[in-house]
Amino acid sequence: MAGKNGIHRVNSQNYPLFKLAERLTQDQKDFFEKYGFLHFKNFIDRETVGLVIRESEKIQDQWIREDVKAVNGVPIKYGIDIDGKRIVQRFAFANHFSLVLKNLLGDPRLKGLFELIGSDDCRIGENEKDG
């Protein structure tokens, strides 16, 4: 529950929950400089979370069915869930298999975070092996 000035109590720690926009506010930059993190509440809405989960499940089903070993040279890691069902534990380049995931990486709000990296030459590496 929000307290005074939008400060929330989480794990006995008080810190603000921010809203992500296309540009960071000075308060967000200052908080990041001091504490090394930002917590964005509702970065994506529930509907989008559901879409991402469903898309990930579709990709997982396809990769298991096709016994995909690697994508762009990056090995796919498989495991077993608590019910003994085979699952993907590491999704490499999942954005290449889903327009929903590709569009999520294109969210203009993500570019607003680049200034936290401290370099003018920033972009999301959608095709590089280092992600």
Side-chain angles (χ1 to χ4, degrees), residues 17-60:
L17 300 178
F18 296 106
K19 179 171 175 57
L20 183 61
E22 289 187 28
R23 301 201 62 122
L24 293 174
T25 66
Q26 191 59 51
D27 285 343
Q28 292 169 334
K29 292 180 219 177
D30 293 344
F31 186 89
F32 182 81
E33 281 300 313
K34 184 172 184 177
Y35 298 104
F37 76 96
L38 294 169
H39 183 162
F40 294 107
K41 181 132 175 105
N42 298 322
F43 163 64
I44 54 177
D45 60 37
R46 287 184 185 272
E47 180 181 321
T48 304
V49 170
L51 281 171
V52 168
I53 290 170
R54 286 190 297 280
E55 289 295 300
S56 299
E57 289 170 342
K58 285 180 192 176
I59 295 166
Q60 175 173 266

mmCIF file of all heavy atoms in Angstrom, residues 17-60:
data_model
loop_
_atom_site.group_PDB
_atom_site.id
_atom_site.type_symbol
_atom_site.label_atom_id
_atom_site.label_comp_id
_atom_site.label_asym_id
_atom_site.label_seq_id
_atom_site.Cartn_x
_atom_site.Cartn_y
_atom_site.Cartn_z
ATOM 1 N N LEU A 17 8.157 3.534 -5.918
ATOM 2 C CA LEU A 17 7.835 2.781 -7.131
ATOM 3 C C LEU A 17 7.581 3.811 -8.216
ATOM 4 O O LEU A 17 6.759 4.708 -8.054
ATOM 5 C CB LEU A 17 6.601 1.911 -6.916
ATOM 6 C CG LEU A 17 6.712 0.870 -5.811
ATOM 7 C CD1 LEU A 17 5.406 0.099 -5.673
ATOM 8 C CD2 LEU A 17 7.858 -0.079 -6.079
ATOM 9 N N PHE A 18 8.307 3.695 -9.311
ATOM 10 C CA PHE A 18 8.238 4.688 -10.375
ATOM 11 C C PHE A 18 7.360 4.209 -11.521
ATOM 12 O O PHE A 18 7.036 3.034 -11.629
ATOM 13 C CB PHE A 18 9.640 4.975 -10.915
ATOM 14 C CG PHE A 18 10.569 5.586 -9.903
ATOM 15 C CD1 PHE A 18 11.583 4.832 -9.327
ATOM 16 C CD2 PHE A 18 10.436 6.909 -9.537
ATOM 17 C CE1 PHE A 18 12.449 5.390 -8.407
ATOM 18 C CE2 PHE A 18 11.297 7.481 -8.608
ATOM 19 C CZ PHE A 18 12.307 6.725 -8.037
ATOM 20 N N LYS A 19 7.000 5.147 -12.391
ATOM 21 C CA LYS A 19 6.287 4.842 -13.635
ATOM 22 C C LYS A 19 7.270 5.072 -14.774
ATOM 23 O O LYS A 19 7.906 6.119 -14.849
ATOM 24 C CB LYS A 19 5.072 5.746 -13.782
ATOM 25 C CG LYS A 19 4.297 5.494 -15.068
ATOM 26 C CD LYS A 19 3.000 6.261 -15.066
ATOM 27 C CE LYS A 19 2.256 6.138 -16.362
ATOM 28 N NZ LYS A 19 1.939 4.816 -16.798
ATOM 29 N N LEU A 20 7.392 4.082 -15.654
ATOM 30 C CA LEU A 20 8.319 4.195 -16.777
ATOM 31 C C LEU A 20 7.660 4.946 -17.921
ATOM 32 O O LEU A 20 6.579 4.590 -18.375
ATOM 33 C CB LEU A 20 8.765 2.811 -17.250
ATOM 34 C CG LEU A 20 9.790 2.784 -18.375
ATOM 35 C CD1 LEU A 20 11.088 3.472 -17.959
ATOM 36 C CD2 LEU A 20 10.080 1.358 -18.805
ATOM 37 N N ALA A 21 8.333 5.988 -18.369
ATOM 38 C CA ALA A 21 7.905 6.767 -19.529
ATOM 39 C C ALA A 21 9.053 6.751 -20.530
ATOM 40 O O ALA A 21 10.066 6.102 -20.311
ATOM 41 C CB ALA A 21 7.548 8.194 -19.104
ATOM 42 N N GLU A 22 8.905 7.477 -21.615
ATOM 43 C CA GLU A 22 9.945 7.489 -22.650
ATOM 44 C C GLU A 22 11.208 8.218 -22.205
ATOM 45 O O GLU A 22 12.256 8.044 -22.803
ATOM 46 C CB GLU A 22 9.404 8.080 -23.951
ATOM 47 C CG GLU A 22 8.419 7.145 -24.622
ATOM 48 C CD GLU A 22 7.983 7.622 -25.989
ATOM 49 O OE1 GLU A 22 8.751 8.336 -26.668
ATOM 50 O OE2 GLU A 22 6.856 7.267 -26.388
ATOM 51 N N ARG A 23 11.114 9.006 -21.157
ATOM 52 C CA ARG A 23 12.278 9.715 -20.605
ATOM 53 C C ARG A 23 12.275 9.544 -19.094
ATOM 54 O O ARG A 23 11.224 9.574 -18.468
ATOM 55 C CB ARG A 23 12.221 11.189 -20.954
ATOM 56 C CG ARG A 23 12.189 11.434 -22.466
ATOM 57 C CD ARG A 23 12.628 12.807 -22.771
ATOM 58 N NE ARG A 23 14.008 12.934 -22.316
ATOM 59 C CZ ARG A 23 15.016 13.257 -23.095
ATOM 60 N NH1 ARG A 23 14.815 13.496 -24.346
ATOM 61 N NH2 ARG A 23 16.235 13.353 -22.629
ATOM 62 N N LEU A 24 13.454 9.385 -18.527
ATOM 63 C CA LEU A 24 13.578 9.309 -17.081
ATOM 64 C C LEU A 24 13.442 10.697 -16.477
ATOM 65 O O LEU A 24 13.888 11.685 -17.061
ATOM 66 C CB LEU A 24 14.937 8.731 -16.694
ATOM 67 C CG LEU A 24 15.171 7.268 -17.057
ATOM 68 C CD1 LEU A 24 16.609 6.876 -16.756
ATOM 69 C CD2 LEU A 24 14.203 6.356 -16.330
ATOM 70 N N THR A 25 12.839 10.754 -15.296
ATOM 71 C CA THR A 25 12.756 12.025 -14.578
ATOM 72 C C THR A 25 14.057 12.240 -13.810
ATOM 73 O O THR A 25 14.831 11.297 -13.597
ATOM 74 C CB THR A 25 11.582 12.014 -13.585
ATOM 75 O OG1 THR A 25 11.857 11.050 -12.564
ATOM 76 C CG2 THR A 25 10.255 11.700 -14.288
ATOM 77 N N GLN A 26 14.279 13.452 -13.374
ATOM 78 C CA GLN A 26 15.478 13.724 -12.575
ATOM 79 C C GLN A 26 15.434 12.949 -11.263
ATOM 80 O O GLN A 26 16.457 12.447 -10.797
ATOM 81 C CB GLN A 26 15.637 15.226 -12.314
ATOM 82 C CG GLN A 26 16.982 15.591 -11.724
ATOM 83 C CD GLN A 26 18.153 15.172 -12.622
ATOM 84 O OE1 GLN A 26 18.174 15.480 -13.812
ATOM 85 N NE2 GLN A 26 19.122 14.464 -12.053
ATOM 86 N N ASP A 27 14.241 12.821 -10.660
ATOM 87 C CA ASP A 27 14.109 12.024 -9.426
ATOM 88 C C ASP A 27 14.532 10.578 -9.665
ATOM 89 O O ASP A 27 15.189 9.963 -8.817
ATOM 90 C CB ASP A 27 12.671 12.055 -8.908
ATOM 91 C CG ASP A 27 12.303 13.367 -8.252
ATOM 92 O OD1 ASP A 27 13.213 14.146 -7.897
ATOM 93 O OD2 ASP A 27 11.089 13.597 -8.074
ATOM 94 N N GLN A 28 14.134 10.006 -10.803
ATOM 95 C CA GLN A 28 14.517 8.629 -11.122
ATOM 96 C C GLN A 28 16.024 8.507 -11.298
ATOM 97 O O GLN A 28 16.644 7.573 -10.785
ATOM 98 C CB GLN A 28 13.785 8.150 -12.378
ATOM 99 C CG GLN A 28 12.294 7.979 -12.162
ATOM 100 C CD GLN A 28 11.534 7.765 -13.450
ATOM 101 O OE1 GLN A 28 11.954 8.189 -14.525
ATOM 102 N NE2 GLN A 28 10.379 7.120 -13.339
ATOM 103 N N LYS A 29 16.623 9.449 -12.011
ATOM 104 C CA LYS A 29 18.072 9.417 -12.225
ATOM 105 C C LYS A 29 18.816 9.556 -10.899
ATOM 106 O O LYS A 29 19.778 8.832 -10.642
ATOM 107 C CB LYS A 29 18.499 10.532 -13.184
ATOM 108 C CG LYS A 29 18.012 10.350 -14.599
ATOM 109 C CD LYS A 29 18.512 11.513 -15.443
ATOM 110 C CE LYS A 29 17.472 11.946 -16.424
ATOM 111 N NZ LYS A 29 17.884 13.102 -17.213
ATOM 112 N N ASP A 30 18.361 10.471 -10.059
ATOM 113 C CA ASP A 30 19.002 10.676 -8.763
ATOM 114 C C ASP A 30 18.887 9.433 -7.887
ATOM 115 O O ASP A 30 19.857 9.028 -7.235
ATOM 116 C CB ASP A 30 18.379 11.879 -8.036
ATOM 117 C CG ASP A 30 18.672 13.204 -8.720
ATOM 118 O OD1 ASP A 30 19.589 13.266 -9.585
ATOM 119 O OD2 ASP A 30 17.963 14.183 -8.405
ATOM 120 N N PHE A 31 17.705 8.826 -7.878
ATOM 121 C CA PHE A 31 17.510 7.611 -7.075
ATOM 122 C C PHE A 31 18.430 6.501 -7.575
ATOM 123 O O PHE A 31 19.075 5.808 -6.780
ATOM 124 C CB PHE A 31 16.045 7.166 -7.134
ATOM 125 C CG PHE A 31 15.753 6.017 -6.212
ATOM 126 C CD1 PHE A 31 15.367 6.247 -4.902
ATOM 127 C CD2 PHE A 31 15.870 4.706 -6.646
ATOM 128 C CE1 PHE A 31 15.105 5.185 -4.046
ATOM 129 C CE2 PHE A 31 15.618 3.640 -5.801
ATOM 130 C CZ PHE A 31 15.229 3.882 -4.493
ATOM 131 N N PHE A 32 18.510 6.342 -8.897
ATOM 132 C CA PHE A 32 19.372 5.304 -9.461
ATOM 133 C C PHE A 32 20.833 5.550 -9.095
ATOM 134 O O PHE A 32 21.553 4.619 -8.723
ATOM 135 C CB PHE A 32 19.216 5.238 -10.986
ATOM 136 C CG PHE A 32 20.036 4.148 -11.609
ATOM 137 C CD1 PHE A 32 19.581 2.845 -11.599
ATOM 138 C CD2 PHE A 32 21.265 4.421 -12.178
ATOM 139 C CE1 PHE A 32 20.340 1.817 -12.156
ATOM 140 C CE2 PHE A 32 22.039 3.413 -12.738
ATOM 141 C CZ PHE A 32 21.572 2.101 -12.724
ATOM 142 N N GLU A 33 21.276 6.785 -9.198
ATOM 143 C CA GLU A 33 22.666 7.115 -8.861
ATOM 144 C C GLU A 33 22.978 6.781 -7.405
ATOM 145 O O GLU A 33 24.052 6.293 -7.089
ATOM 146 C CB GLU A 33 22.963 8.586 -9.134
ATOM 147 C CG GLU A 33 23.206 8.895 -10.587
ATOM 148 C CD GLU A 33 24.394 8.132 -11.158
ATOM 149 O OE1 GLU A 33 25.464 8.102 -10.526
ATOM 150 O OE2 GLU A 33 24.234 7.550 -12.244
ATOM 151 N N LYS A 34 22.016 7.031 -6.533
ATOM 152 C CA LYS A 34 22.242 6.811 -5.100
ATOM 153 C C LYS A 34 22.111 5.345 -4.703
ATOM 154 O O LYS A 34 22.912 4.828 -3.925
ATOM 155 C CB LYS A 34 21.266 7.656 -4.286
ATOM 156 C CG LYS A 34 21.493 7.572 -2.792
ATOM 157 C CD LYS A 34 20.643 8.570 -2.042
ATOM 158 C CE LYS A 34 20.978 8.509 -0.550
ATOM 159 N NZ LYS A 34 20.231 9.513 0.198
ATOM 160 N N TYR A 35 21.096 4.641 -5.256
ATOM 161 C CA TYR A 35 20.782 3.291 -4.785
ATOM 162 C C TYR A 35 21.075 2.177 -5.790
ATOM 163 O O TYR A 35 21.062 1.003 -5.437
ATOM 164 C CB TYR A 35 19.310 3.211 -4.354
ATOM 165 C CG TYR A 35 19.008 4.139 -3.205
ATOM 166 C CD1 TYR A 35 18.330 5.335 -3.419
ATOM 167 C CD2 TYR A 35 19.413 3.844 -1.909
ATOM 168 C CE1 TYR A 35 18.045 6.199 -2.376
ATOM 169 C CE2 TYR A 35 19.139 4.699 -0.850
ATOM 170 C CZ TYR A 35 18.460 5.872 -1.098
ATOM 171 O OH TYR A 35 18.197 6.725 -0.065
ATOM 172 N N GLY A 36 21.283 2.517 -7.059
ATOM 173 C CA GLY A 36 21.654 1.522 -8.048
ATOM 174 C C GLY A 36 20.517 0.711 -8.636
ATOM 175 O O GLY A 36 20.760 -0.286 -9.312
ATOM 176 N N PHE A 37 19.281 1.096 -8.391
ATOM 177 C CA PHE A 37 18.146 0.383 -8.992
ATOM 178 C C PHE A 37 16.957 1.324 -9.107
ATOM 179 O O PHE A 37 16.890 2.356 -8.451
ATOM 180 C CB PHE A 37 17.754 -0.853 -8.163
ATOM 181 C CG PHE A 37 16.993 -0.553 -6.896
ATOM 182 C CD1 PHE A 37 15.607 -0.601 -6.874
ATOM 183 C CD2 PHE A 37 17.656 -0.212 -5.720
ATOM 184 C CE1 PHE A 37 14.903 -0.316 -5.708
ATOM 185 C CE2 PHE A 37 16.973 0.067 -4.554
ATOM 186 C CZ PHE A 37 15.588 0.019 -4.546
ATOM 187 N N LEU A 38 16.024 0.951 -9.966
ATOM 188 C CA LEU A 38 14.726 1.603 -10.098
ATOM 189 C C LEU A 38 13.673 0.511 -10.153
ATOM 190 O O LEU A 38 13.875 -0.504 -10.808
ATOM 191 C CB LEU A 38 14.657 2.449 -11.375
ATOM 192 C CG LEU A 38 15.579 3.657 -11.450
ATOM 193 C CD1 LEU A 38 15.587 4.226 -12.864
ATOM 194 C CD2 LEU A 38 15.159 4.710 -10.448
ATOM 195 N N HIS A 39 12.575 0.701 -9.484
ATOM 196 C CA HIS A 39 11.472 -0.249 -9.509
ATOM 197 C C HIS A 39 10.302 0.432 -10.214
ATOM 198 O O HIS A 39 9.740 1.396 -9.709
ATOM 199 C CB HIS A 39 11.086 -0.612 -8.069
ATOM 200 C CG HIS A 39 10.009 -1.649 -7.974
ATOM 201 N ND1 HIS A 39 9.788 -2.359 -6.831
ATOM 202 C CD2 HIS A 39 9.091 -2.106 -8.856
ATOM 203 C CE1 HIS A 39 8.784 -3.201 -6.999
ATOM 204 N NE2 HIS A 39 8.337 -3.054 -8.232
ATOM 205 N N PHE A 40 9.972 -0.083 -11.416
ATOM 206 C CA PHE A 40 8.876 0.470 -12.197
ATOM 207 C C PHE A 40 7.639 -0.383 -11.989
ATOM 208 O O PHE A 40 7.620 -1.566 -12.344
ATOM 209 C CB PHE A 40 9.233 0.521 -13.686
ATOM 210 C CG PHE A 40 10.348 1.470 -13.992
ATOM 211 C CD1 PHE A 40 11.602 1.000 -14.311
ATOM 212 C CD2 PHE A 40 10.143 2.836 -13.943
ATOM 213 C CE1 PHE A 40 12.635 1.871 -14.597
ATOM 214 C CE2 PHE A 40 11.168 3.716 -14.217
ATOM 215 C CZ PHE A 40 12.419 3.236 -14.544
ATOM 216 N N LYS A 41 6.621 0.189 -11.409
ATOM 217 C CA LYS A 41 5.360 -0.513 -11.187
ATOM 218 C C LYS A 41 4.574 -0.547 -12.496
ATOM 219 O O LYS A 41 4.512 0.454 -13.220
ATOM 220 C CB LYS A 41 4.547 0.206 -10.115
ATOM 221 C CG LYS A 41 3.239 -0.471 -9.800
ATOM 222 C CD LYS A 41 3.060 -0.618 -8.335
ATOM 223 C CE LYS A 41 1.689 -1.177 -8.026
ATOM 224 N NZ LYS A 41 1.728 -2.552 -7.651
ATOM 225 N N ASN A 42 4.005 -1.710 -12.790
ATOM 226 C CA ASN A 42 3.164 -1.876 -13.981
ATOM 227 C C ASN A 42 3.874 -1.483 -15.269
ATOM 228 O O ASN A 42 3.295 -0.824 -16.126
ATOM 229 C CB ASN A 42 1.851 -1.101 -13.841
ATOM 230 C CG ASN A 42 1.022 -1.599 -12.687
ATOM 231 O OD1 ASN A 42 0.965 -2.799 -12.431
ATOM 232 N ND2 ASN A 42 0.396 -0.695 -11.975
ATOM 233 N N PHE A 43 5.125 -1.922 -15.403
ATOM 234 C CA PHE A 43 5.877 -1.663 -16.638
ATOM 235 C C PHE A 43 5.066 -2.129 -17.841
ATOM 236 O O PHE A 43 4.967 -1.439 -18.846
ATOM 237 C CB PHE A 43 7.234 -2.363 -16.592
ATOM 238 C CG PHE A 43 7.891 -2.493 -17.932
ATOM 239 C CD1 PHE A 43 8.272 -1.372 -18.643
ATOM 240 C CD2 PHE A 43 8.089 -3.737 -18.505
ATOM 241 C CE1 PHE A 43 8.863 -1.477 -19.894
ATOM 242 C CE2 PHE A 43 8.675 -3.855 -19.753
ATOM 243 C CZ PHE A 43 9.056 -2.721 -20.445
ATOM 244 N N ILE A 44 4.497 -3.318 -17.742
ATOM 245 C CA ILE A 44 3.560 -3.782 -18.768
ATOM 246 C C ILE A 44 2.280 -4.202 -18.062
ATOM 247 O O ILE A 44 2.303 -4.658 -16.916
ATOM 248 C CB ILE A 44 4.119 -4.923 -19.655
ATOM 249 C CG1 ILE A 44 4.620 -6.094 -18.831
ATOM 250 C CG2 ILE A 44 5.220 -4.411 -20.547
ATOM 251 C CD1 ILE A 44 5.112 -7.263 -19.653
ATOM 252 N N ASP A 45 1.159 -4.034 -18.748
ATOM 253 C CA ASP A 45 -0.129 -4.343 -18.125
ATOM 254 C C ASP A 45 -0.385 -5.853 -18.099
ATOM 255 O O ASP A 45 0.322 -6.637 -18.726
ATOM 256 C CB ASP A 45 -1.264 -3.595 -18.836
ATOM 257 C CG ASP A 45 -1.374 -3.956 -20.314
ATOM 258 O OD1 ASP A 45 -1.170 -5.126 -20.686
ATOM 259 O OD2 ASP A 45 -1.676 -3.054 -21.110
ATOM 260 N N ARG A 46 -1.384 -6.247 -17.349
ATOM 261 C CA ARG A 46 -1.702 -7.672 -17.170
ATOM 262 C C ARG A 46 -1.979 -8.383 -18.499
ATOM 263 O O ARG A 46 -1.591 -9.518 -18.689
ATOM 264 C CB ARG A 46 -2.908 -7.836 -16.245
ATOM 265 C CG ARG A 46 -2.613 -7.539 -14.805
ATOM 266 C CD ARG A 46 -3.852 -7.816 -13.943
ATOM 267 N NE ARG A 46 -3.630 -7.427 -12.581
ATOM 268 C CZ ARG A 46 -3.095 -8.214 -11.661
ATOM 269 N NH1 ARG A 46 -2.728 -9.426 -11.976
ATOM 270 N NH2 ARG A 46 -2.931 -7.784 -10.426
ATOM 271 N N GLU A 47 -2.665 -7.701 -19.398
ATOM 272 C CA GLU A 47 -2.980 -8.293 -20.701
ATOM 273 C C GLU A 47 -1.698 -8.623 -21.465
ATOM 274 O O GLU A 47 -1.559 -9.705 -22.038
ATOM 275 C CB GLU A 47 -3.857 -7.353 -21.527
ATOM 276 C CG GLU A 47 -4.223 -7.919 -22.881
ATOM 277 C CD GLU A 47 -5.078 -6.953 -23.690
ATOM 278 O OE1 GLU A 47 -5.948 -6.288 -23.113
ATOM 279 O OE2 GLU A 47 -4.863 -6.903 -24.920
ATOM 280 N N THR A 48 -0.753 -7.698 -21.446
ATOM 281 C CA THR A 48 0.518 -7.917 -22.137
ATOM 282 C C THR A 48 1.315 -9.030 -21.472
ATOM 283 O O THR A 48 1.922 -9.856 -22.152
ATOM 284 C CB THR A 48 1.336 -6.614 -22.201
ATOM 285 O OG1 THR A 48 0.532 -5.607 -22.831
ATOM 286 C CG2 THR A 48 2.622 -6.802 -22.978
ATOM 287 N N VAL A 49 1.297 -9.084 -20.148
ATOM 288 C CA VAL A 49 1.970 -10.178 -19.431
ATOM 289 C C VAL A 49 1.393 -11.515 -19.887
ATOM 290 O O VAL A 49 2.126 -12.457 -20.183
ATOM 291 C CB VAL A 49 1.846 -10.027 -17.903
ATOM 292 C CG1 VAL A 49 2.320 -11.284 -17.178
ATOM 293 C CG2 VAL A 49 2.616 -8.813 -17.414
ATOM 294 N N GLY A 50 0.068 -11.586 -19.987
ATOM 295 C CA GLY A 50 -0.576 -12.809 -20.460
ATOM 296 C C GLY A 50 -0.145 -13.167 -21.873
ATOM 297 O O GLY A 50 0.112 -14.332 -22.180
ATOM 298 N N LEU A 51 -0.056 -12.159 -22.749
ATOM 299 C CA LEU A 51 0.399 -12.393 -24.121
ATOM 300 C C LEU A 51 1.834 -12.927 -24.144
ATOM 301 O O LEU A 51 2.143 -13.866 -24.887
ATOM 302 C CB LEU A 51 0.347 -11.104 -24.936
ATOM 303 C CG LEU A 51 -0.999 -10.655 -25.464
ATOM 304 C CD1 LEU A 51 -0.911 -9.249 -26.053
ATOM 305 C CD2 LEU A 51 -1.506 -11.629 -26.507
ATOM 306 N N VAL A 52 2.712 -12.338 -23.346
ATOM 307 C CA VAL A 52 4.106 -12.775 -23.294
ATOM 308 C C VAL A 52 4.190 -14.219 -22.812
ATOM 309 O O VAL A 52 4.928 -15.032 -23.380
ATOM 310 C CB VAL A 52 4.943 -11.830 -22.400
ATOM 311 C CG1 VAL A 52 6.307 -12.416 -22.093
ATOM 312 C CG2 VAL A 52 5.081 -10.462 -23.057
ATOM 313 N N ILE A 53 3.422 -14.557 -21.799
ATOM 314 C CA ILE A 53 3.419 -15.930 -21.289
ATOM 315 C C ILE A 53 2.932 -16.897 -22.361
ATOM 316 O O ILE A 53 3.557 -17.938 -22.610
ATOM 317 C CB ILE A 53 2.562 -16.037 -20.013
ATOM 318 C CG1 ILE A 53 3.260 -15.303 -18.865
ATOM 319 C CG2 ILE A 53 2.297 -17.501 -19.648
ATOM 320 C CD1 ILE A 53 2.401 -15.124 -17.624
ATOM 321 N N ARG A 54 1.832 -16.555 -23.022
ATOM 322 C CA ARG A 54 1.289 -17.441 -24.068
ATOM 323 C C ARG A 54 2.264 -17.585 -25.234
ATOM 324 O O ARG A 54 2.455 -18.687 -25.761
ATOM 325 C CB ARG A 54 -0.076 -16.939 -24.543
ATOM 326 C CG ARG A 54 -1.183 -17.190 -23.526
ATOM 327 C CD ARG A 54 -2.566 -16.911 -24.071
ATOM 328 N NE ARG A 54 -2.793 -15.529 -24.449
ATOM 329 C CZ ARG A 54 -3.090 -14.541 -23.593
ATOM 330 N NH1 ARG A 54 -3.185 -14.788 -22.309
ATOM 331 N NH2 ARG A 54 -3.304 -13.316 -24.022
ATOM 332 N N GLU A 55 2.902 -16.502 -25.634
ATOM 333 C CA GLU A 55 3.877 -16.566 -26.720
ATOM 334 C C GLU A 55 5.067 -17.434 -26.322
ATOM 335 O O GLU A 55 5.559 -18.226 -27.124
ATOM 336 C CB GLU A 55 4.352 -15.161 -27.106
ATOM 337 C CG GLU A 55 3.317 -14.340 -27.826
ATOM 338 C CD GLU A 55 2.950 -14.917 -29.179
ATOM 339 O OE1 GLU A 55 3.831 -15.050 -30.045
ATOM 340 O OE2 GLU A 55 1.760 -15.247 -29.375
ATOM 341 N N SER A 56 5.537 -17.286 -25.097
ATOM 342 C CA SER A 56 6.653 -18.109 -24.605
ATOM 343 C C SER A 56 6.273 -19.583 -24.591
ATOM 344 O O SER A 56 7.076 -20.445 -24.953
ATOM 345 C CB SER A 56 7.067 -17.663 -23.203
ATOM 346 O OG SER A 56 7.502 -16.326 -23.214
ATOM 347 N N GLU A 57 5.059 -19.875 -24.191
ATOM 348 C CA GLU A 57 4.591 -21.262 -24.187
ATOM 349 C C GLU A 57 4.510 -21.823 -25.600
ATOM 350 O O GLU A 57 4.861 -22.984 -25.835
ATOM 351 C CB GLU A 57 3.237 -21.365 -23.486
ATOM 352 C CG GLU A 57 3.344 -21.158 -21.986
ATOM 353 C CD GLU A 57 1.999 -21.016 -21.288
ATOM 354 O OE1 GLU A 57 0.973 -20.739 -21.965
ATOM 355 O OE2 GLU A 57 1.971 -21.179 -20.048
ATOM 356 N N LYS A 58 4.050 -21.013 -26.565
ATOM 357 C CA LYS A 58 4.001 -21.458 -27.964
ATOM 358 C C LYS A 58 5.402 -21.777 -28.485
ATOM 359 O O LYS A 58 5.612 -22.790 -29.149
ATOM 360 C CB LYS A 58 3.358 -20.390 -28.855
ATOM 361 C CG LYS A 58 1.873 -20.264 -28.735
ATOM 362 C CD LYS A 58 1.391 -19.163 -29.679
ATOM 363 C CE LYS A 58 -0.032 -18.773 -29.408
ATOM 364 N NZ LYS A 58 -0.450 -17.646 -30.259
ATOM 365 N N ILE A 59 6.344 -20.873 -28.189
ATOM 366 C CA ILE A 59 7.723 -21.091 -28.630
ATOM 367 C C ILE A 59 8.281 -22.342 -27.968
ATOM 368 O O ILE A 59 8.910 -23.184 -28.625
ATOM 369 C CB ILE A 59 8.596 -19.860 -28.315
ATOM 370 C CG1 ILE A 59 8.125 -18.660 -29.134
ATOM 371 C CG2 ILE A 59 10.077 -20.158 -28.571
ATOM 372 C CD1 ILE A 59 8.684 -17.330 -28.651
ATOM 373 N N GLN A 60 8.048 -22.492 -26.683
ATOM 374 C CA GLN A 60 8.514 -23.676 -25.963
ATOM 375 C C GLN A 60 7.956 -24.948 -26.596
ATOM 376 O O GLN A 60 8.704 -25.909 -26.848
ATOM 377 C CB GLN A 60 8.094 -23.587 -24.493
ATOM 378 C CG GLN A 60 8.428 -24.829 -23.692
ATOM 379 C CD GLN A 60 8.157 -24.623 -22.234
ATOM 380 O OE1 GLN A 60 9.050 -24.255 -21.504
ATOM 381 N NE2 GLN A 60 6.911 -24.849 -21.800
#
